[in-house]
Amino acid sequence: MATLKEAALRWIEDDPDPLTRAEGQAIIDAGDESLLREHFGQRLHFGTAGLRARLGPGPNRMNRALIRRVSSAVGAYMESTLEDAHGRGVVVAFDGRHGSRPFAEETAGVLTARGFMVYLYDEVTPTPQAAHAARFLGCAGGIVVTASHNPPQDNGYKVFWANGAQIVPPQDQGISQAIDAIDNTSEVEVMALEAARAVGRLKAVPNQVLESYLQEVSSLRVYDGPTNLKVVYTAMHGVGRKLIETVLHDHGYLGLISVAEQGDPDPDFPTVKFPNPEEPGAMDLAFDYGSNADADLIIANDPDADRLAVAVRNGSGGYRQLTGNQVGVLLAHELLVHGSKEPGRMVAT
C-alpha cells in the first residue's frame, strides 16, 4: 500500500493540471486501495489505436501529465526511426470532446520543445482530414486527440505515421517502451505556444491542405448521373457535418437534411446513450428525420468522422441499417458499373 501511495504522490506532485492534481489527492486522502490501484497502479496500454480511456488523475487515465509523457515518447520514437523527423514535422488535431483542445496544445508544446515543426489545427477536425494533412505536408506523422465513438467521459490519442496510416507493430511497442523510459514530467520540456510560433516552430495548417483533401475526395467519385436523392445525415454530435455538407453540396446533392440536434460538436452527446452509429438506438433520431422527410438514404458518422453508417429504406416505411460488408459490396458495384473500363481493373472487397 505504501509503495502504491508513494507512486501516486509522485504522480500528482508532477501533474501540471490543478484539477486532476486535486482529484488525485482526494483519492489518496480517501485511503481506498482499490480506487488508488485503479488510477495509479498501472499505466494505460499504448497500442495500434494509441490510447483511449476515461478522463481523470493518474497514469491509468487520460490527463495532461500522461499526454506530456506520451507526446515526448512519440517524439523520441520518431527521432530514432525517421530521417529529419524534426524538419518534416507533425500534424496535431483534436475533436470536440472534453479536454481535446488542451491535450492537443499540450502535445504541440512538448513536440516543439523537442525541436519538431508542428502544424496545429485551430478548430475541431475530422480524423481522416488530419491523416491526409500529415501525408500532404510530408510530415513524420500526425496525432489526433479523440476517443472516437467512446462514451463522453473518455478521451484518447491516435497516432498516424508518415504514410497517413494509423501506426502498426512494432511502432506501438516502440512508443510504449519510450513512455516507460520517462520517470516523471519534470523530464519533459514544454514550450509555450506563443514562443513556438515566434521562432517558427508552430504553424497553422495551410489552407491548401483542405483544398487538396476536397479535390482528392472529389476524384473518387465515379457516378455522374442525377443527384436528386433526399439524404439525411447525422454527425452524432461530432465533427463531420461541415465537410459532409461541403462535399455533397459541391456535387449537386442539394437534398441533404442534417439532424440539427446532433449537427454540432457536443462532448456530452446528449441525444444518445452511446455515440456509435452501430449501437442500438443511436440512429433513432436520424430514422425519425428520414421518415418525416421521406428520405431515400441515411448516413452517419461517429464523433471523429472516421466511421460511416448507412441505412436505406426497408420497403415497410422504415429503414434498414447496412453492415460494413454490405456497404463494401455496394461501393464495389458502383466502381464496376461506373468506374474506369480500362483492361486489368480490379476491385477488392
Side-chain angles (χ1 to χ4, degrees):
M1 177 67 175
T3 302
L4 180 59
K5 183 177 180 180
E6 289 169 2
L9 284 168
R10 286 197 302 270
W11 180 278
I12 64 168
E13 287 170 1
D14 219 28
D15 191 336
D17 188 331
L19 178 61
T20 49
R21 193 164 59 243
E23 291 174 348
Q25 185 65 58
I27 291 173
I28 295 171
D29 293 343
D32 185 334
E33 184 173 355
S34 63
L35 192 59
L36 198 64
R37 191 169 302 282
E38 182 182 338
H39 282 261
F40 298 97
Q42 59 183 322
R43 175 177 63 76
L44 288 178
H45 172 71
F46 193 97
T48 54
L51 297 170
R52 205 178 293 180
R54 286 193 173 195
L55 296 161
N60 202 34
R61 292 290 187 269
M62 292 294 300
N63 51 69
R64 285 174 56 196
L66 183 72
I67 290 292
R68 285 190 177 185
R69 289 166 166 82
V70 173
S71 298
S72 186
V74 169
Y77 185 74
M78 287 180 172
E79 291 162 2
S80 68
T81 55
L82 293 170
E83 187 174 350
D84 190 27
H86 286 181
R88 293 170 69 180
V90 178
V91 167
V92 178
F94 56 93
D95 68 4
R97 285 179 176 270
H98 293 295
S100 287
R101 183 187 287 271
F103 289 170
E105 292 175 347
E106 197 82 44
T107 299
V110 170
L111 291 175
T112 52
R114 291 193 71 99
F116 282 86
M117 172 69 72
V118 172
Y119 298 92
L120 176 64
Y121 277 96
D122 59 5
E123 62 181 4
V124 294
T125 302
T127 291
Q129 184 183 349
H132 165 268
R135 186 166 53 87
F136 178 86
L137 293 168
C139 290
I143 294 164
V144 183
V145 179
T146 176
S148 192
H149 49 270
N150 273 40
Q153 63 268 27
D154 290 5
N155 213 324
Y157 190 99
K158 290 183 178 180
V159 179
F160 296 84
W161 212 238
N163 59 359
Q166 202 162 280
I167 58 170
V168 296
Q171 294 158 344
D172 56 337
Q173 293 99 321
I175 294 170
S176 187
Q177 290 167 5
I179 298 171
D180 289 337
I182 301 172
D183 286 334
N184 54 63
T185 55
S186 62
E187 298 178 20
V188 180
E189 185 180 351
V190 183
M191 195 172 194
L193 299 189
E194 287 307 313
R197 288 191 183 94
V199 299
R201 215 175 282 174
L202 180 65
K203 295 183 178 181
V205 177
N207 291 334
Q208 60 263 38
V209 177
L210 175 58
E211 295 168 5
S212 167
Y213 182 75
L214 293 173
Q215 289 171 3
E216 289 195 32
V217 170
S218 295
S219 71
L220 299 174
R221 185 170 185 257
V222 296
Y223 175 74
D224 58 1
T227 57
N228 57 350
L229 284 177
K230 191 176 288 186
V231 181
V232 166
Y233 169 73
T234 175
M236 203 68 68
H237 297 295
V239 300
R241 179 180 179 177
K242 186 176 179 180
L243 274 183
I244 286 286
E245 289 182 345
T246 297
V247 170
L248 291 181
H249 285 167
D250 285 352
H251 289 281
Y253 290 91
L254 304 181
L256 179 65
I257 302 167
S258 288
V259 177
E261 298 91 331
Q262 299 174 340
D264 296 323
D266 188 326
D268 294 318
F269 307 105
T271 68
V272 292
K273 292 181 178 179
F274 204 91
N276 182 352
E278 296 180 357
E279 286 291 317
M283 294 278 284
D284 285 355
L285 193 53
F287 291 160
D288 290 342
Y289 263 70
S291 296
N292 292 336
D294 195 25
D296 302 293
L297 179 70
I298 297 175
I299 54 178
N301 284 134
D302 69 341
D304 72 323
D306 67 353
R307 177 172 293 205
L308 177 73
V310 177
V312 296
R313 286 174 171 169
N314 62 10
S316 304
Y319 291 89
R320 174 188 178 187
Q321 190 164 334
L322 304 180
T323 67
N325 288 340
Q326 290 168 332
V327 173
V329 169
L330 290 174
L331 291 174
H333 180 267
E334 188 80 357
L335 288 172
L336 291 169
V337 173
H338 299 290
S340 169
K341 299 300 190 289
E342 293 182 6
R345 65 188 178 137
M346 180 177 66
V347 175
T349 61

